[in-house]
Amino acid sequence: MIFENDTKDFIQVCSVTDLIANRGKKFTIGESEIAIFLIEGQIHAVTNICPHQHVSVMHDAFVEGQELICPAHGWQFNCRSGKKPDGGKGLDVHETEIRDGFVFVRLHEKKFRF
Ligand code: FES
């Protein structure tokens, strides 16, 4: 069994003006739920599902510097890498771009190959 990244096109998700600094916003792209944040002038997109209990809460995360803190039990993830403070795997991070004031996201998806 091998994990494989699927490279898809960027998808327009929202306007930059829809985002509020240091507050997440939830979006659904296909079957994927993502949380988008505007932190220190940069757009970050991560999976909305916290890996602790697999619940859709990351759009409500508290932001402290570059850390996203899950509102349920306080697990922390870096907004750029998605990793936990100990470097362990945390959230999937999706690539973002801004074009003409709109936020575009390219989903990072894992697929199973048998
Ligand atoms: S569900 Fe996120 S830390 Fe528990």
Side-chain angles (χ1 to χ4, degrees):
M1 178 172 52
I2 298 171
F3 283 104
E4 184 177 88
N5 290 335
D6 183 27
T7 304
K8 292 186 171 181
D9 291 335
F10 281 90
I11 297 167
Q12 183 176 328
V13 177
C14 65
S15 168
V16 173
T17 57
D18 293 333
L19 303 174
I20 299 171
N22 297 326
R23 293 195 36 202
K25 193 157 187 173
K26 178 171 69 173
F27 297 92
T28 302
I29 301 175
E31 296 179 359
S32 299
E33 235 179 64
I34 65 172
I36 297 183
F37 293 85
L38 174 61
I39 300 172
E40 298 174 357
Q42 300 290 312
I43 305 286
H44 302 278
V46 298
T47 180
N48 195 42
I49 311 298
C50 179
H52 177 215
Q53 292 191 337
H54 303 280
V55 289
S56 305
V57 293
M58 291 311 299
H59 63 285
D60 280 332
F62 302 104
V63 176
E64 284 187 11
Q66 299 279 307
E67 297 296 307
L68 305 176
I69 303 170
C70 178
H73 309 101
W75 281 26
Q76 295 183 31
F77 309 95
N78 183 276
C79 67
R80 294 176 183 272
S81 67
K83 292 184 176 179
K84 296 190 287 190
D86 66 2
K89 170 96 178 80
L91 303 171
D92 286 339
V93 173
H94 306 292
E95 196 175 349
T96 62
E97 271 187 14
I98 299 174
R99 298 181 204 158
D100 298 326
F102 291 95
V103 177
F104 288 76
V105 174
R106 178 158 58 193
L107 292 181
H108 168 91
E109 292 186 14
K110 296 183 201 114
K111 293 200 169 187
F112 289 103
R113 191 174 69 194
F114 296 96

